[in-house]
């Protein structure tokens, strides 16, 4: 059955969907719910999709990042409440690929024909441990850069040209050194969140917070401890704005111009542009210290609770196709997981006025191509949250670094 069904669905994706709609598409209205965290830039695409699928209604259910994943976990545990389509960020994907029985196997719906459309490591992240079930199709990847305020750099006497800025910080130690020079001349913070800085350093390594046997290695991976120590050094130098990512205070800081740099996966450019409307041309994009790495990125999954798996699969296959990923990137900054786009002039030649005409298409294409994938364990997102909280306790004077580290190890041990 799979061998017959797969070519049919692939044909549907290459031709007018109206020509090969499902039985439900012909006979009844189908409402698909899609659970997201933040704005994925899908809304304009829904109108385009519904033009060829007039029987499909689409309802977004948007929650805050951590609450969204907690809700998905609860809905799967109680077998009720999940959307037809649920977005899962990479920090949580292993937690859900370890439960393939809770999701429709996308290989059974014909997704095997799409494998060549995605980065191999992005495809692999969506597979169950035995490789027999595909839980999610990839949307974007988070190849990293460093966004910076060129006006604040000028006022601090630092270079403003993006190539010259990139040369300031080949390593994270160099980045901290530049931050200390900045702080000697400017009142603004050098970065917004030590948790984001820490995560970037760890996700550049060959190993993160888990080994490939799903053992936590927070206390034994020297790369994790080095990232902690570098973050603490930056905190002690007064470089942090002491903000927690995704909070209202963090969002408001973009408009206030309260900090000078931020680790900048492609998707972050959308948040900057949306929340710093008064700073067009003042932001630019340089290389990230420490080399290539990926922070973030998402898969779209189909929980088995969904009532319309065929229609939901057709929708996520269309949303994650290269043509739609290219549109989302131009509109929101979410960078495609479809490698065929990385050499497309339409992408590599894309610039944005807001970022001082930085060639963000080329910058993030080069970044994505250089990424060496890192294994993500089942509770990676929760582990980063626990470590970020520990750094926050240092920033707020609640604990000394050694006390905070000790509590971090205790907190993450409870996540096993």
């Amino acid at each position: 059955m799979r061998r017959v069904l797969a070519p049919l669905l692939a044909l549907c994706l290459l031709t007018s969907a109206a020509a090969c709609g499902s039985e439900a598409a012909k006979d009844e209205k189908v409402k698909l719910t899609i659970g997201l965290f933040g704005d994925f830039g899908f809304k304009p695409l829904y109108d385009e999709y519904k033009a060829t699928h007039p029987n499909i209604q689409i309802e977004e259910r948007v929650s805050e990042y951590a609450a969204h994943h907690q809700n998905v976990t609860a809905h799967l545990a109680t077998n009720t409440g999940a959307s037809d389509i649920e977005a899962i960020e990479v920090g949580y994907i292993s937690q859900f690929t370890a439960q393939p029985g809770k999701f429709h196997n996308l290989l059974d719906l014909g997704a095997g024909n799409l494998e060549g459309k995605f980065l191999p490591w992005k495809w692999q992240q969506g597979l169950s441990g035995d490789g027999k079930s595909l839980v999610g199709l990839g949307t974007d990847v988070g190849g990293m850069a460093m966004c910076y305020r060129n006006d604040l750099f000028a006022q601090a006497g630092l270079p403003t040209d993006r190539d010259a800025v990139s040369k300031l910080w080949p390593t994270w130690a160099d980045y901290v050194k530049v931050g200390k020079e900045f702080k000697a001349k400017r009142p603004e913070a050098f970065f917004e969140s030590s948790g984001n800085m820490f995560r970037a350093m760890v996700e550049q390594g060959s190993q993160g917070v888990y080994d490939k046997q799903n053992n936590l290695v927070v206390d034994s991976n020297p790369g994790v401890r080095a990232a902690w120590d570098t973050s603490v050094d930056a905190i002690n130098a007064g470089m942090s704005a002491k903000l927690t990512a995704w909070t209202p205070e963090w969002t408001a800081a973009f408009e206030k111009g309260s900090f000078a740099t931020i680790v900048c996966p492609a998707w972050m450019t959308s948040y900057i542009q949306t929340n710093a409307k008064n700073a067009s041309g003042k932001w630019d994009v340089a290389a990230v210290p420490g080399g290539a790495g990926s922070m973030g990125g998402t898969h779209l999954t189909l929980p088995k609770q969904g009532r319309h798996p065929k229609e939901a699969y057709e929708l996520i296959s269309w949303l994650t196709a290269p043509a739609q990923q290219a549109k989302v990137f131009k509109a929101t900054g979410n960078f495609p997981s479809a490698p065929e786009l990385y050499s497309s002039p339409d992408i590599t030649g894309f610039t944005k006025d807001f970022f001082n005409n930085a060639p963000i298409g080329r910058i993030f294409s080069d970044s994505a191509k250089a990424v060496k994938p890192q294994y993500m364990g089942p509770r990676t997102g929760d582990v980063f949250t626990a470590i970020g909280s520990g750094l926050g306790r240092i920033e707020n004077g609640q604990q000394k670094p050694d006390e905070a580290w000790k509590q971090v190890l205790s907190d993450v041990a409870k996540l096993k």
Side-chain angles (χ1 to χ4, degrees), residues 65-83 86-88 92-93 95-96 99 102-103 303 305 378-379 382:
Y65 170 77
H68 168 79
H69 292 94
Q70 291 165 1
N71 290 338
V72 175
T73 300
H75 293 326
L76 295 183
T78 59
N79 201 34
T80 183
S83 299
E86 293 283 5
I88 305 296
Y92 290 88
I93 190 64
Q95 176 181 339
F96 296 104
Q99 309 173 66
K102 296 285 187 180
F103 296 89
Q305 297 170 36
R379 304 289 297 275
D382 293 326

Side-chain angles (χ1 to χ4, degrees), residues 16 21-22 38 61 132 142 155 171 184-185 228 275 293 295 322 333 390:
S16 167
S22 65
R61 298 174 177 175
K132 295 180 180 179
Q155 292 164 23
T171 69
K185 297 181 178 179
W228 171 272
N275 295 304
M295 178 192 281

Side-chain angles (χ1 to χ4, degrees), residues 93-321:
I93 190 64
S94 294
Q95 176 181 339
F96 296 104
T97 55
Q99 309 173 66
K102 296 285 187 180
F103 296 89
H104 291 287
N105 183 354
L106 303 184
L107 296 176
D108 290 337
L109 293 168
N113 288 337
L114 304 178
E115 181 174 356
K117 297 290 185 184
F118 295 90
L119 284 166
W121 56 268
K122 186 71 175 181
W123 180 266
Q124 190 69 29
Q125 287 175 341
L127 286 169
S128 62
D130 61 7
K132 295 180 180 179
S133 294
L134 183 69
V135 170
L137 288 178
T139 57
D140 62 312
V141 293
M144 287 185 268
M146 182 68 77
C147 293
Y148 67 98
R149 284 280 299 255
N150 53 38
D151 58 331
L152 297 182
F153 268 47
Q155 292 164 23
L158 294 169
T160 58
D161 174 77
R162 64 183 70 95
D163 292 331
V165 171
S166 298
K167 291 178 181 177
L168 290 175
W169 48 52
T171 69
W172 283 100
D174 294 321
Y175 173 78
V176 173
K177 180 181 177 182
V178 174
K180 292 177 179 177
E181 294 176 17
F182 177 88
K183 284 300 299 177
K185 297 181 178 179
R186 294 298 307 170
E188 296 87 358
F190 195 57
F191 57 82
E192 38 53 274
S193 168
S194 56
N196 276 345
M197 176 183 171
F198 171 86
R199 179 173 175 176
M201 286 186 276
V202 172
E203 293 195 329
Q204 288 175 323
S206 58
Q207 184 182 60
V209 295
Y210 280 90
D211 65 19
K212 292 183 178 178
Q213 289 72 48
N214 286 331
N215 299 306
L216 278 165
V217 295
V218 174
D219 60 343
S220 59
N221 181 355
V224 173
R225 184 56 197 250
W228 171 272
D229 290 341
T230 302
S231 301
V232 170
D233 185 19
I235 291 170
N236 289 338
M239 295 166 55
S240 174
K242 305 179 181 179
L243 298 169
T244 301
W246 319 119
T247 60
E249 294 79 10
W250 181 82
T251 299
F254 287 96
E255 184 176 4
K256 294 178 180 176
S258 304
F259 57 90
T261 69
I262 184 170
V263 175
C264 199
W267 48 262
M268 186 65 81
T269 61
S270 174
Y271 283 88
I272 297 172
Q273 188 167 353
T274 299
N275 295 304
K277 292 185 173 63
N278 59 348
S280 180
K282 296 179 179 178
W283 282 94
D284 209 319
V285 186
V288 70
S294 182
M295 178 192 281
T298 299
H299 289 75
L300 296 179
T301 69
L302 306 184
K304 276 193 174 175
Q305 297 170 36
R307 295 179 55 197
H308 306 288
K310 181 176 183 297
E311 289 78 10
Y313 173 72
E314 289 177 348
L315 176 57
I316 67 169
S317 301
W318 187 82
L319 288 172
T320 58

